[in-house]
C-alpha cells in the first residue's frame, strides 16, 4: 500500500511537471518577449527550476523580474542574488521606492502602512518599459478565491487590467495568446498545483530555499490577525506586546509589513510536508494585506497585480 501511494505521488508530480513545462514552452513559442516574475518565494523558485528543465541545456530564454518593495526580507534578497548568479539568469528589478520618488504612487502613512499595494504600478511600469508581452507567474488556483478564476493564459488589457468575466476558454490545452498592441498576458504554469504539490516537488527535486521557510527564532508582534516579524519597518505600537524568540517559520514570503509567520517547529522538508497536510489555514491566511477587505486580492488583480 505504501509503495502504491509513493508511486501515485511520483506519477502525479510528473504529470504536473510535464504540464508546467508544456506551458512554459508554449509561452516562449507564442510570445516575442516574455519574462518570469520572481519574488524569491517557493512558487517562483519552482517556476524557475521548471524553466531550467524546459530549456536545458540552454540558458533561460527570458529574464527574471523582481518587484522590490524596499521592505523585503534580507534573507529573500540574499537568496535571489545567489540564485540568479548560480543559474546565470538576467535579473530585472523594479523598485517601488523609484515609483514613490517619481510621484507615480503615494506611500501610505501611519503605523500600519504597507507598500504591498504599491507594487502594481511598479510592475506595470516595468512591463511597459521593457515591452514584455507575457509575464509568467507562480499563482495557483488553491491559494485564494480570486486566483481560482484565472486561466493558464490570462489576458490583460492595454491598461494592464484583468477582467474575470472575460476569460478565454482553454479546451484541450489549446492556449490563445492573441492580443492587440499594448496588451499582454500573465501566464500561470502552476495553476493546477496545490501547496502540498509544491512542497513534495521541492523535496523530490532537492531544490534549496530561503531559510525563512524553516523553523527559527524571531521577535514578533501580533497585528491585524497576523504575526509580523519585528524589523526596521515593523515596529511595536502603543499597546502592542513583543513576543521574544518566538519559534516560527513563514509559509509565504512577501513584504515584511504584511507577511505573517506561523508558530512552527518544522525544520526539515518532511516536517513541513507533515505540517501542511494537517494545516487548517491556507498559506495566504497569514497575509494581513488579504484581510483589508473580502475582495482585496481580486481588486488588486483587476488593477494589474500579480
Amino acid at each position: 500500500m505504501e509503495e502504491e501511494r509513493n508511486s501515485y505521488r511520483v506519477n502525479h508530480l510528473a504529470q504536473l511537471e510535464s504540464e508546467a513545462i508544456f506551458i512554459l514552452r508554449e509561452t516562449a513559442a507564442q510570445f516575442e518577449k516574455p519574462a518570469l516574475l520572481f519574488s524569491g518565494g517557493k512558487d517562483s523558485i519552482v517556476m524557475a527550476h521548471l524553466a531550467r528543465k524546459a530549456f536545458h541545456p540552454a540558458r533561460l530564454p527570458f529574464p527574471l523580474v523582481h518587484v522590490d518593495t524596499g521592505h523585503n526580507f534580507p534573507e529573500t534578497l540574499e537568496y535571489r542574488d545567489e540564485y540568479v548568479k548560480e543559474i546565470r539568469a538576467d535579473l530585472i528589478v523594479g523598485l517601488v521606492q523609484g515609483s514613490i520618488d517619481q510621484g507615480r504612487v503615494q506611500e501610505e502613512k501611519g503605523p500600519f502602512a504597507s507598500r504591498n499595494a504599491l507594487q502594481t504600478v511598479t510592475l506595470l511600469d516595468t512591463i511597459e518599459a521593457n515591452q514584455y508581452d507575457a509575464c509568467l507567474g507562480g499563482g495557483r488556483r488553491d491559494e485564494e478565491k480570486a486566483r481560482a478564476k484565472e486561466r493558464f493564459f490570462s489576458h490583460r488589457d492595454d491598461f494592464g487590467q484583468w477582467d474575470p468575466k472575460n476569460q478565454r476558454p482553454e479546451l484541450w490545452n489549446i492556449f490563445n495568446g492573441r492580443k492587440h498592441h499594448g496588451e499582454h498576458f500573465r501566464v500561470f504554469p502552476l495553476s493546477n498545483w496545490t501547496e502540498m504539490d509544491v512542497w513534495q516537488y521541492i523535496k523530490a527535486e532537492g531544490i534549496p530555499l530561503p531559510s525563512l521557510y524553516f523553523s527559527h527564532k524571531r521577535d514578533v508582534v501580533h497585528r491585524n490577525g497576523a504575526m509580523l516579524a519585528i524589523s526596521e519597518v515593523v515596529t511595536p505600537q502603543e499597546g502592542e506586546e513583543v513576543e521574544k524568540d518566538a519559534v516560527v517559520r513563514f509559509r509565504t514570503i512577501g513584504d515584511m509589513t504584511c507577511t505573517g509567520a506561523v508558530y512552527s517547529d518544522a525544520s526539515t522538508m518532511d516536517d513541513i510536508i507533515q505540517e501542511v497536510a494537517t494545516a487548517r489555514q491556507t498559506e495566504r491566511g497569514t497575509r494581513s494585506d488579504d484581510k483589508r477587505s473580502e475582495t482585496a486580492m481580486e481588486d488588486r488583480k483587476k488593477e494589474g497585480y500579480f
Side-chain angles (χ1 to χ4, degrees):
M1 183 65 71
E2 183 63 30
E3 289 182 3
E4 290 180 3
R5 283 198 294 265
N6 289 335
S7 176
Y8 169 78
R9 187 179 302 120
V10 170
N11 291 336
H12 175 63
L13 293 177
Q15 183 178 11
L16 289 173
E17 179 189 71
S18 178
E19 178 183 65
I21 286 175
F22 172 71
I23 294 166
L24 284 159
R25 289 172 176 166
E26 275 291 299
T27 303
Q30 290 199 37
F31 298 98
E32 295 181 4
K33 199 172 182 184
L36 191 154
L37 302 178
F38 188 82
S39 67
K42 68 182 187 309
D43 298 318
S44 62
I45 293 169
V46 166
M47 283 268 294
H49 180 84
L50 288 163
R52 294 177 70 188
K53 280 194 164 188
F55 303 106
H56 179 79
R59 293 174 59 193
L60 297 187
F62 36 68
L64 305 185
V65 174
H66 181 216
V67 177
D68 186 350
T69 67
H71 294 166
N72 295 91
F73 288 95
E75 295 93 332
T76 304
L77 298 180
E78 181 180 346
Y79 179 95
R80 179 199 69 185
D81 294 340
E82 290 180 359
Y83 186 73
V84 167
K85 182 178 179 181
E86 176 190 343
I87 68 173
R88 298 184 300 120
D90 295 323
L91 176 67
I92 303 297
V93 179
L95 299 172
V96 171
Q97 184 62 55
S99 299
I100 294 171
D101 294 342
Q102 296 165 21
R104 294 283 293 146
V105 294
Q106 185 172 357
E107 188 157 22
E108 292 182 2
K109 305 297 182 182
F112 306 135
S114 172
R115 288 185 174 183
N116 196 57
L118 307 187
Q119 294 180 87
T120 298
V121 171
T122 306
L123 173 62
L124 292 176
D125 286 350
T126 302
I127 291 172
E128 183 176 0
N130 293 280
Q131 294 296 292
Y132 297 131
D133 54 0
C135 289
L136 293 150
R140 308 188 321 270
R141 293 185 181 127
D142 75 317
E143 287 183 275
E144 201 272 345
K145 57 187 178 182
R147 289 186 169 174
K149 300 178 182 180
E150 290 278 19
R151 298 287 195 266
F152 284 108
F153 276 31
S154 183
H155 175 263
R156 298 298 198 269
D157 65 19
D158 51 358
F159 292 102
Q161 296 176 331
W162 172 66
D163 182 0
K165 297 181 180 179
N166 188 25
Q167 296 277 295
R168 297 178 178 182
E170 293 181 337
L171 305 176
W172 305 292
N173 283 345
I174 298 175
F175 305 115
N176 182 357
R178 294 184 63 182
K179 59 181 179 56
H180 296 294
H181 179 73
E183 299 175 345
H184 72 277
F185 276 77
R186 305 290 170 83
V187 182
F188 302 103
L190 303 186
S191 289
N192 287 335
W193 296 51
T194 66
E195 183 186 8
M196 178 62 80
D197 294 329
V198 170
W199 281 112
Q200 289 180 337
Y201 186 77
I202 289 169
K203 179 187 175 182
E205 295 288 301
I207 303 172
L209 295 175
S211 59
L212 292 167
Y213 281 113
F214 300 93
S215 178
H216 59 282
K217 291 183 178 180
R218 193 177 289 260
D219 296 345
V220 299
V221 63
H222 296 266
R223 178 182 300 169
N224 297 332
M227 183 163 51
L228 302 180
I230 299 297
S231 66
E232 59 187 24
V233 295
V234 177
T235 56
Q237 302 300 307
E238 185 176 351
E240 292 183 333
E241 186 174 337
V242 175
E243 184 177 351
K244 294 282 190 179
D245 292 330
V247 180
V248 302
R249 74 176 190 88
F250 293 86
R251 291 177 68 186
T252 178
I253 292 178
D255 189 292
M256 289 189 290
T257 61
C258 61
T259 303
V262 295
Y263 292 115
S264 175
D265 293 318
S267 57
T268 68
M269 205 68 69
D270 286 330
D271 292 340
I272 291 175
I273 290 172
Q274 181 62 35
E275 184 178 272
V276 170
T278 59
R280 303 293 294 176
Q281 184 183 51
T282 66
E283 59 193 299
R284 289 200 69 90
T286 64
R287 297 288 295 262
S288 64
D289 54 320
D290 287 350
K291 299 176 182 179
R292 291 194 172 191
S293 75
E294 285 191 11
T295 59
M297 170 63 81
E298 183 160 333
D299 292 341
R300 294 201 304 276
K301 285 179 70 63
K302 287 179 180 178
E303 294 170 359
Y305 186 72
F306 301 130

